[in-house]
Amino acid sequence: MRKWTVMGWTALVALCAAPAFGVTIELVAGDVADGKSAVNIVLRSEGSNVGGMQNDILFDTTKVNLPAASACKVNAAIGTAGNDGCEADPVEGPCKTLSRNLASCGATPTPPGCEGQPATVSRFRGIVAATAVPNNNSIPDGAVLYTCDFSIVDAAGLPATLTNSNVVASDPFGTRLTATGTNGTIGGGAEPTPTEVVEPTPTPTTAPVACTAPICVNVGTATATGAKVTINVVATGNNLGGAQNDILFDTTKVNLAAASACKINAAIGTAGNDGCEADPVEGPCKTLSRNLASCGASPTPPGCEGQPATVSRFRGIVAATAVPNNNPIPTGSVLYSCEFDVVNAGALPAVLTNSNIVASDPFGTRLESDGSDGAINGEGEPPTPTNTPDVVPPTNTPVPPTNTPVPPTNTPVPPTNTAVPATNTPVPATATATRTATAVPTQPAGEDDDDGCAIAADGSSNSRAWILLIPAFGLVALRRRRRA
């Protein structure tokens, strides 16, 4: 009985010590000078290991404005440009990139994140992630993530509130973290108000053998006629902005020499495409973020849960991150190709299990998606072998994508200085799992990695005040037992 009491008190202390909020993204506005104000977007990790984040900034353009999305720039201290450590192996430093999108809420159709806003409001969306140089390094607590230089439109109309909404944060492996945001004010004004983000609850389902979803990310099948074989990953469906998937394979049969053995399709990539330097960008202009891990590693890499040590997992994320744009990927496009080494031709066929499939539109809104497995056959083998024990089909446990904030659910938090009241209604994101795995909430990212994410809702730490009563209840119960 005493042992149970000590354990119970330990749990109570842990609960009461838990913070009301997790990660906080702050908007900190500088002084107005020469018709401008620099606004820093600052990370308060509160002890969490943060690998990426997303937020929207809503502002009244009759008071302040951003001339272009390029007015917001990633902090050089956490970025890739000019940082020699980002070229090291392994990567040294955060080495993050900033995906940017600026939209007028008066546009038709209404841009994501602008729902319910007047035409005088604009929305900037920033996504910070390890996309240009994929890595698992975290961002230091208190770091400036990026800075936006706002122009003052009407100095007499200040202060101008900058509403922080659709806040999302994830760890370096893509696991969602509880996140909140604080508003900012240019020219003084009210104190910022924290807004707690309500976490979505994924609902995994079992997918059919053949992909019939609106978006399909399919792993191809090929016959090995030599020491190497190329497998294509193909996407079908309309208005696809980015996608992620994992490929699980038995390394006693086939193998990938390195993550670089998988390369983005040049037709949808940025390299050598002059249109990617145009303004606006012409073509998909996507990048591929790559991660290769052995399921026998410790701790178990994300996406490897339940797999034997002989299985490896490749994770690919295709998104417009190096050159952010809203252009879709044409249906039927090869996303990327992987050159597998044949380890034991006599042991073929080898199943390539396709799992953790995620897709989003060019604005980061989650799309219903699924996919089919692939295979590498020996000569004379049937084109589509059934699953064999070499790879254990993934369980229905959502595994968040690597280095990818989860796509937003486009729930706006209206500016407090406008006539549009805040709805304060969180809209949880939903996820649809695949036949072999479960999808997560994430937005894909690219080789040189984005993917958007999120929900935001006003909240209050008062909702957790009941936890403080638990120790009192525990003391009453303990005294009654001793009297008995």
Side-chain angles (χ1 to χ4, degrees):
M1 179 63 69
R2 178 168 295 181
K3 180 179 180 180
W4 170 253
T5 302
V6 172
M7 292 175 64
W9 273 107
T10 301
L12 288 175
V13 171
L15 283 171
C16 293
F21 294 120
V23 176
T24 302
I25 305 300
E26 298 179 350
L27 302 187
V28 182
D31 295 336
V32 176
D34 298 324
K36 295 183 180 295
S37 176
V39 176
N40 289 330
I41 290 72
V42 181
L43 169 68
R44 303 297 180 190
S45 59
E46 302 296 337
S48 297
N49 193 19
V50 179
M53 57 71 66
Q54 166 191 301
N55 75 313
D56 289 355
I57 303 175
L58 295 166
F59 53 92
D60 185 347
T61 58
T62 66
K63 297 182 177 182
V64 296
N65 200 18
L66 287 174
S70 58
C72 296
K73 294 179 173 58
V74 71
N75 176 13
I78 69 166
T80 60
N83 289 338
D84 294 338
C86 296
E87 301 299 322
D89 188 8
V91 172
E92 299 171 359
C95 299
K96 310 298 179 182
T97 57
L98 174 65
S99 176
R100 304 168 293 192
N101 181 264
L102 178 63
S104 169
C105 293
T108 302
T110 302
C114 276
E115 294 79 357
Q117 301 298 328
T120 56
V121 169
S122 282
R123 183 269 295 148
F124 174 82
R125 174 167 292 173
I127 303 174
V128 174
T131 55
V133 181
N135 66 78
N136 297 327
N137 299 339
S138 60
I139 304 170
D141 180 34
V144 173
L145 299 169
Y146 63 93
T147 301
C148 293
D149 288 328
F150 280 84
S151 300
I152 307 302
V153 176
D154 180 11
L158 299 179
T161 297
L162 306 177
T163 299
N164 195 6
S165 65
N166 286 332
V167 180
V168 174
S170 64
D171 70 13
F173 295 96
T175 301
R176 177 72 65 88
L177 303 172
T178 300
T180 183
T182 62
N183 297 338
T185 304
I186 294 178
E191 292 295 322
T193 303
T195 302
E196 184 178 10
V197 173
V198 179
E199 296 289 336
T201 302
T203 54
T205 60
T206 301
V209 173
C211 179
T212 59
I215 300 293
C216 291
V217 179
N218 299 321
V219 177
T221 296
T223 299
T225 58
K228 295 184 180 292
V229 61
T230 298
I231 295 294
N232 293 330
V233 177
V234 180
T236 61
N238 296 320
N239 200 30
L240 175 64
Q244 166 193 297
N245 76 309
D246 288 356
I247 303 175
L248 295 166
F249 54 92
D250 185 349
T251 58
T252 66
K253 299 181 178 183
V254 296
N255 200 18
L256 289 174
S260 57
C262 296
K263 293 179 171 56
I264 193 168
N265 175 13
I268 69 167
T270 59
N273 290 336
D274 294 338
C276 296
E277 301 299 323
D279 189 8
V281 172
E282 299 171 359
C285 298
K286 310 298 180 182
T287 56
L288 174 65
S289 175
R290 305 168 292 191
N291 181 263
L292 178 64
S294 169
C295 293
S298 182
T300 302
C304 276
E305 293 79 359
Q307 301 298 330
T310 56
V311 169
S312 282
R313 183 269 295 147
F314 174 80
R315 175 165 291 175
I317 304 174
V318 174
T321 55
V323 182
N325 66 78
N326 299 327
N327 300 337
I329 300 169
T331 183
S333 294
V334 172
L335 297 177
Y336 62 92
S337 300
C338 294
E339 188 176 60
F340 282 85
D341 296 320
V342 177
V343 176
N344 186 355
L348 298 178
V351 175
L352 306 177
T353 301
N354 191 11
S355 64
N356 290 330
I357 301 168
V358 176
S360 64
D361 70 13
F363 295 96
T365 301
R366 178 66 62 82
L367 301 174
E368 182 183 351
S369 59
D370 194 1
S372 60
D373 294 345
I376 296 177
N377 297 315
E379 292 188 80
E381 293 291 340
T384 310
T386 57
N387 280 337
T388 57
D390 52 348
V391 175
V392 179
T395 59
N396 288 330
T397 302
V399 180
T402 304
N403 299 327
T404 310
V406 184
T409 55
N410 304 322
T411 304
V413 179
T416 56
N417 66 325
T418 66
V420 181
T423 59
N424 296 322
T425 304
V427 180
T430 59
T432 303
T434 68
R435 163 174 64 88
T436 53
T438 57
V440 268
T442 86
Q443 108 180 64
E447 167 166 0
D448 295 358
D449 188 58
D450 157 60
D451 171 341
C453 339
I455 50 176
D458 289 332
S460 171
S461 60
N462 292 335
S463 62
R464 293 184 173 86
W466 62 272
I467 296 178
L468 300 177
L469 298 177
I470 295 177
F473 293 151
L475 286 172
V476 172
L478 184 60
R479 289 175 179 174
R480 288 183 177 178
R481 290 190 177 183
R482 289 180 175 175
R483 288 176 181 175

